[in-house]
Amino acid sequence: MGLGIGLVGLPNVGKSTTFNALTKAQNAESANYPFCTIEPNKAVVPVPDKRLDALATIVSPERIQNSTLDFVDIAGLVKGASKGEGLGNKFLTNIRETEVILEIVRCFVDENITHVEGSIDPIRDIEIIEQELLFADIDSLQKRIDTITKKARGNDKDAKAQLVIAEELMEFIAEGNPVSSFANSDDDIFIAMNKEMRLLTSKEIIYGANVDEDGLEEDNELVITLKEYATQRGREVIKLCAKVEEEMVEFDEEEKTEMLESLGVEESGLDQIIRKGFDKLGLMSYFTAGVKEVRAWTIRKETTAPKAAAVIHNDFEKGFIRAEVTSYEDFVEYGGDAGAKEAGKMRLEGKEYIVQDGDVMHFRFNV
């Protein structure tokens, strides 16, 4: 669907190592020097979903297809990026093209791995990153205000209305506040403006705390401090050990489970990142289940049945008649379509139906 999650952070915090593990491709160079990543590495990552395996057990398909997410490993940011330091505006442009930001911050001490700021302090690192994002937004918004002002002087009513919102927003972010906490964020003018400008501090942010093996089972002081900071800002922290995740790339599921259990961890940090990123993007999955394929289809939450059908093919939406719908739970409990239908658990839904996460669907259409 072209919705990206950008991995962002200062140099040498584990971004590229995390990306390698996410993609299972080992194609993002990782090394102990700043700006190892210059061009953004991009990859499409399958969304883990155990429900697919349960459906496949019933249907015995030829193949299984997961939903996917786009991840982008973006070059390391340094203080002054908004003024051209490091890779400057190139870095900021790459972030602008993503929808959710995953800030990887280092939460372990290792004298053999250089930190660009000379010490380990995840809160300082976050503040450097988010200050640069804010400076970039101020610069972008000022350029927009200059353009709108000229039109407003020409008695353009739309421009005058836009100028009011733009100036309110400028005053707000100039005080150090992110666009995401702007009081008038539900205003139609603001929504249209932000959709076009893609302001950086309006994006959802997740903090990824990169720890060493010892830090996986029990939070160290750096992680504890980070979680307190995140809670104050209404954000979430996902803890992972990028080194361990990369080592597990070649493991099968049984070996991976054993490794996580030995480390005192229930779920891989990467699985948490993918699952949480999927949710932050406002996405969910519905399923189709047949002998050819069991597949998860990615749609936005609150999507109607015809729009969901269009993800498979545009003709499905144009000629939509109705959808046969069974919840995932009922499909599994009654052993598939036939059992669910016999139990009265398969429903016929029309054009107004809002698809629910996990619905197993068949579409009736006429073209």
Side-chain angles (χ1 to χ4, degrees), residues 282-355:
L283 303 177
M284 64 179 217
S285 300
Y286 75 87
F287 305 116
T288 52
V291 293
K292 289 288 185 182
E293 180 182 68
V294 164
R295 179 163 182 167
W297 298 90
T298 305
I299 58 173
R300 287 191 177 276
K301 296 173 183 176
E302 301 299 317
T303 295
T304 61
K307 290 294 182 184
V311 176
I312 300 176
H313 197 287
N314 286 336
D315 286 346
F316 282 28
E317 179 184 10
K318 294 175 183 177
F320 180 90
I321 299 173
R322 62 180 61 89
E324 297 176 354
V325 183
T326 306
S327 72
Y328 164 77
E329 291 78 11
D330 287 338
F331 191 94
V332 171
E333 181 178 350
Y334 295 100
D337 282 328
K341 188 173 184 179
E342 184 177 346
K345 298 297 183 179
M346 179 184 287
R347 314 182 309 275
L348 291 179
E349 300 287 359
K351 294 182 178 180
E352 303 302 318
Y353 177 68
I354 303 298
V355 179

Side-chain angles (χ1 to χ4, degrees), residues 246-308:
E246 191 174 35
E247 290 174 356
M248 292 194 297
V249 163
E250 301 301 327
F251 289 9
D252 60 29
E253 284 303 312
E254 184 175 346
E255 292 171 326
K256 182 177 173 182
T257 299
E258 289 178 357
M259 169 68 89
L260 293 173
E261 287 178 351
S262 71
L263 295 169
V265 180
E266 294 183 3
E267 183 181 16
S268 159
L270 297 186
D271 286 352
Q272 294 179 58
I273 287 171
I274 297 169
R275 178 171 51 78
K276 183 57 64 177
F278 200 66
D279 180 63
K280 290 291 186 183
L281 286 166
L283 303 177
M284 64 179 217
S285 300
Y286 75 87
F287 305 116
T288 52
V291 293
K292 289 288 185 182
E293 180 182 68
V294 164
R295 179 163 182 167
W297 298 90
T298 305
I299 58 173
R300 287 191 177 276
K301 296 173 183 176
E302 301 299 317
T303 295
T304 61
K307 290 294 182 184

Side-chain angles (χ1 to χ4, degrees), residues 223-243:
V223 173
I224 291 171
T225 301
L226 175 59
K227 286 185 174 180
E228 291 174 352
Y229 179 88
T231 298
Q232 293 169 5
R233 285 154 182 76
R235 292 175 179 163
E236 297 183 59
V237 175
I238 295 174
K239 187 169 65 172
L240 74 153
C241 176
K243 182 181 178 182

Side-chain angles (χ1 to χ4, degrees), residues 118-282:
S119 62
I120 309 303
D121 184 345
I123 307 305
R124 176 205 58 211
D125 293 356
I126 286 171
E127 290 177 345
I128 288 173
I129 293 168
E130 296 184 6
Q131 187 174 54
E132 293 303 323
L133 300 183
L134 192 64
F135 286 158
D137 280 349
I138 289 172
D139 185 57
S140 297
L141 187 58
Q142 186 58 59
K143 290 176 181 176
R144 174 57 61 93
I145 288 174
D146 292 343
T147 300
I148 298 172
T149 299
K150 293 177 182 178
K151 293 182 179 180
R153 286 172 181 167
N155 212 26
D156 185 319
K157 292 183 179 180
D158 289 339
K160 287 181 177 180
Q162 291 174 29
L163 186 59
V164 171
I165 293 295
E167 288 181 336
E168 284 182 10
L169 179 59
M170 175 61 84
E171 182 179 354
F172 181 75
I173 64 176
E175 294 175 351
N177 303 303
V179 174
S180 59
S181 59
F182 183 52
N184 289 330
S185 60
D186 58 350
D187 185 278
D188 290 341
I189 294 174
F190 168 82
I191 292 171
M193 185 184 303
N194 189 41
K195 185 176 181 180
E196 181 181 349
M197 297 181 68
R198 300 174 69 85
L199 294 165
L200 302 176
T201 62
S202 69
K203 299 178 184 296
E204 288 273 9
I205 292 178
I206 305 170
Y207 297 137
N210 185 18
V211 301
D212 55 18
E213 288 189 28
D214 292 338
L216 277 175
E217 185 169 10
E218 185 175 348
D219 291 349
N220 60 36
E221 290 185 7
L222 294 169
V223 173
I224 291 171
T225 301
L226 175 59
K227 286 185 174 180
E228 291 174 352
Y229 179 88
T231 298
Q232 293 169 5
R233 285 154 182 76
R235 292 175 179 163
E236 297 183 59
V237 175
I238 295 174
K239 187 169 65 172
L240 74 153
C241 176
K243 182 181 178 182
V244 168
E245 299 285 354
E246 191 174 35
E247 290 174 356
M248 292 194 297
V249 163
E250 301 301 327
F251 289 9
D252 60 29
E253 284 303 312
E254 184 175 346
E255 292 171 326
K256 182 177 173 182
T257 299
E258 289 178 357
M259 169 68 89
L260 293 173
E261 287 178 351
S262 71
L263 295 169
V265 180
E266 294 183 3
E267 183 181 16
S268 159
L270 297 186
D271 286 352
Q272 294 179 58
I273 287 171
I274 297 169
R275 178 171 51 78
K276 183 57 64 177
F278 200 66
D279 180 63
K280 290 291 186 183
L281 286 166

Side-chain angles (χ1 to χ4, degrees), residues 22-23 42-46 68-71:
L22 271 167
T23 62
K42 300 181 180 181
V44 178
V45 180
T68 60
L69 278 181
D70 294 340
F71 278 87

